[in-house]
Amino acid sequence: MENYRVTKALGQGTWGVVHMAEQIGSNRVVALKKIKSKTSGEGINFTAIREIKLLREFRHENIIELVDVFVTPDQAVCLVYECAETDLEKVLNNKSIPMSFSDIKQHLSSLLRAISACHDRWILHRDLKPDNMLFLKDGTMKLADFGLARMYGTPKQRLSPQAITLWYKPPELLLGSYEYSSAADMWSVGCIFAELLLRRPFLQGKQTDISQLDTIFTVFGTPNETNWPDHKALPLCARGLLWDDVPAIPFDEIFTGAPRDAISLLRSILALDPNMRFTASQSLSHPYFSNEPPPTPKEKLVLDTPS
Ligand code: AMP
């Protein structure tokens, strides 16, 4: 801690307060995330270990850099990150910040490049949402908060369906799946893309998994043999939970005014059936990214109101 001078609090996370600090000597501005053990003597928090392990050697333009790790005298682990200026949730909530189709293309491409790098290394993020998409001063988007991230792949591991924030949670997790994969993150990517187009969260269930499933099925239609052949094997369906048959609402009726290529990509990402969902690299090859308009250069993004 003697290597850092704390300047101000940046925010409260699930596992502790995050502070802005200056690295003494270099004057580098960093973000300090102090993760307390739940009780004394319990050892280092699992979340911290997971985040350290996964981020330690991960260098990518769109993934937050873990600069340093140390343990404080009161046995808390302190994770030191490069410091961001703002995040996508703040940008979306500030209605005086414009959001053009070119800006949306830039945000989505940064997110897809970050998540493609994670999936290439068999890492699932499991908490993709606008508040975890941070922006540096120069406009670079940095994916953050790997506290829920996990390795996946072969041999197939049991993963807890208790992951991912409700509005960004895919139907297979809501139906109790233990064997999900990168497609789960891609559902969250689709929800973020939809939120950029609508400028409000897309699938706003009311606190419970069942309400979230109702919200999803009202838009996408009820799962059936055509749109999701394997859904009946999932725990909640196997237990006999049934929904009234409802048809899907066409995306052009929801995303009125959105470019056709954006709607086509969004439809490919947000498939009910995880096996049908586009991967991050398939999404990056979609014509949406080579068609006009080009993405806004990151240094031209407006991320704050002029003071
Ligand atoms: P977290 O524990 O990662 O959810 O972070 C809690 C809050 O701290 C976030 O909502 C951000 O406002 C802030 N924060 C986290 N990491 C950083 C960072 N690297 N730079 C600036 N602010 C951050």
Side-chain angles (χ1 to χ4, degrees), residues 10-14 18 31 33 64 81-84 90 134 145:
L10 286 168
Q12 173 72 48
T14 328
V18 180
K33 186 166 169 181
I64 198 83
Y81 300 95
E82 57 187 328
C83 192
K90 292 194 186 106
L134 309 183
D145 203 352

Side-chain angles (χ1 to χ4, degrees), residues 92-111:
L92 287 167
N93 286 339
N94 182 344
K95 300 294 181 226
S96 60
I97 299 179
M99 178 72 69
S100 68
F101 288 130
S102 292
D103 297 346
I104 294 175
K105 205 171 274 189
Q106 171 62 32
H107 295 320
L108 184 67
S109 103
S110 303
L111 174 61

Side-chain angles (χ1 to χ4, degrees), residues 31-187:
L32 295 184
K33 186 166 169 181
K34 192 171 169 182
I35 302 183
K36 282 208 174 112
S37 304
K38 281 184 206 126
T39 54
S40 58
E42 199 179 89
I44 295 175
N45 189 302
F46 263 129
T47 315
I49 298 178
R50 226 180 261 153
E51 189 147 352
I52 297 162
K53 265 180 76 175
L54 293 172
L55 279 181
R56 209 177 33 170
E57 283 170 20
F58 211 154
R59 283 287 167 93
H60 186 275
E61 204 211 341
N62 299 112
I63 293 181
I64 198 83
E65 186 191 336
L66 183 62
V67 179
D68 192 10
V69 180
F70 61 91
V71 179
T72 61
D74 60 340
Q75 294 300 302
V77 179
C78 224
L79 308 186
V80 186
Y81 300 95
E82 57 187 328
C83 192
E85 291 282 303
T86 187
D87 62 62
L88 185 62
E89 192 194 27
K90 292 194 186 106
V91 173
L92 287 167
N93 286 339
N94 182 344
K95 300 294 181 226
S96 60
I97 299 179
M99 178 72 69
S100 68
F101 288 130
S102 292
D103 297 346
I104 294 175
K105 205 171 274 189
Q106 171 62 32
H107 295 320
L108 184 67
S109 103
S110 303
L111 174 61
L112 283 169
R113 277 182 275 132
I115 210 62
S116 169
C118 293
H119 293 171
D120 283 351
R121 289 167 179 76
W122 300 97
I123 294 169
L124 293 182
H125 184 279
R126 302 201 311 169
D127 202 15
L128 296 176
K129 54 183 176 180
D131 21 339
N132 286 336
M133 293 167 64
L134 309 183
F135 292 100
L136 302 188
K137 220 182 204 132
D138 70 355
T140 309
M141 194 285 284
K142 296 275 179 175
L143 183 57
D145 203 352
F146 282 71
L148 277 179
R150 276 281 200 295
M151 299 295 290
Y152 73 103
T154 47
K156 269 206 162 145
Q157 284 173 346
R158 256 175 94 89
L159 295 163
S160 166
Q162 305 307 323
I164 309 184
T165 302
L166 194 66
W167 293 346
Y168 305 89
K169 198 166 179 168
E172 66 273 22
L173 268 76
L174 294 162
L175 289 170
S177 174
Y178 282 96
E179 284 190 349
Y180 52 89
S181 69
S182 53
D185 277 340
M186 288 309 295
W187 179 270

Side-chain angles (χ1 to χ4, degrees), residues 193-211:
F193 187 15
E195 186 164 341
L196 286 163
L197 294 167
L198 295 171
R199 205 142 186 184
R200 62 171 165 75
F202 178 33
L203 300 165
Q204 303 185 46
K206 294 194 178 67
Q207 291 181 359
T208 65
D209 284 7
I210 297 294
S211 161

